[in-house]
Amino acid sequence: MSLFKDASIPAVTAGFVAVLVSYSGPLAIFFQAAQSAEISTAMMTSWVWAISLGAAVSGIVLSLWLKVPVVTAWSAPGTALLVTLFPGLSLAEAVGAYLTAAAVIFVIGITGSFDRIIRIIPPGLASAMMAGILFQFGVGVFESFASVPALAAGMLLAYLFFKRVTPRYSLVLLLVVGVVLAVVLEGASLEGVSLTLAQPQFIRPEWSWNATLSLAIPLVLVSLTGQFLPGMAILRGAGYNTPARPIVTLASLTSFVTAFFGGITTVIAAITAAICTSEEAHEDPSKRYVAGVANGVFYLVGGTFAGTIVALFTSLPGEFVAILAGLALIGAITSNLSAFAAHKDHLEASVITFIATASGISFLGLGSAFWGVVAGALAYQLLHRPWRQASREARREAT
């Protein structure tokens, strides 16, 4: 079998490191969402099992099928959005919104309209909404100084040090240091952490306009612009001219299944994808797909022992999770702030989107991400009048 012939230690290592990075940083956001929803440990384990399984199956299938290192994961910005909506949104409504988002993304994928839709969405507004959703997590790092100053200061200094010395592995090392600091400074106990198999919990979905507008639609937007777009850019930048259609379609199909067990939308990874598409994974680009397969296999292992992962995170102070999530998202906050600031032609509309989203406003039962998009789109139309430019271009083409 070509997979075993093409396998190499660097490729397998790259896949393993990519999973470690995901579990070290983005997973912390998931635990914050779980704490906001006030769900049980068993349900939290089901969530981790579902997102791991979705990333595993889609990543392995796509990497073997396309012979490209396709690294998939759960929607980190979508998970951040959950934190702002729980507990006002029920878990059943969230699952209904997951299914709605998966259906929309499936249509986009199967029709091959991904690139066309991305061009329609003003890039500054999409980045501003992302930055607004993630901004509060960065603020949470410094809010933690009030309750656990030593832990917050220690993790912040560790983050800065590792980011300077070894940026690729900074989150993994930060997790290790953070756990040590939590035990030494805050008296956290790891006695309850042991190998525990996951037991998936089925969730019956419910649909509501509130969940559709506050979660499903923003989830589609952040998944397309914050995950699929940069993820595809990383693949193409590495020399893989892979069409978006099979990746978007299969990821959405996976999302349909995992949603019933609490798994948020499966997407192509952006940050960890760079690990598996680089030369460090393999000198030969045609053999780097092994890194994508290995990544999926390690996700399977992580999902199988999701109970152990949950036990680790729940044994640590809540502030630890907030600090880890905030520091893990600094890079994403920075890139989205830079992205919307770079689009000078509609900067004011983007700033309005950012402020409205970051405000955390809830009005008419709808969350700030929805109102951020509404306010930004309205400002974009009124301030920058894109329809006039379109009509001028149409007249020029006619003549």
Side-chain angles (χ1 to χ4, degrees), residues 93-185:
E93 286 179 305
V95 172
Y98 295 166
L99 293 171
T100 300
V104 173
I105 295 173
F106 174 76
V107 172
I108 292 171
I110 201 68
T111 58
S113 55
F114 171 75
D115 293 321
R116 293 195 300 274
I117 290 177
I118 288 296
R119 285 194 294 268
I120 293 173
I121 302 172
L125 266 63
S127 298
M129 182 183 68
M130 285 273 293
I133 292 171
L134 303 178
F135 182 73
Q136 62 177 312
F137 291 89
V139 173
V141 174
F142 298 94
E143 289 178 340
S144 298
F145 274 83
S147 54
V148 287
L151 178 62
M155 291 183 67
L156 177 59
L157 290 174
Y159 169 80
L160 295 173
F161 175 76
F162 293 135
K163 199 70 176 178
R164 177 69 179 86
V165 176
T166 174
R168 173 164 289 184
Y169 307 107
S170 59
L171 290 182
V172 177
L173 295 172
L174 175 64
L175 174 63
V176 174
V177 170
V179 170
V180 172
L181 290 176
V183 171
V184 174
L185 300 176

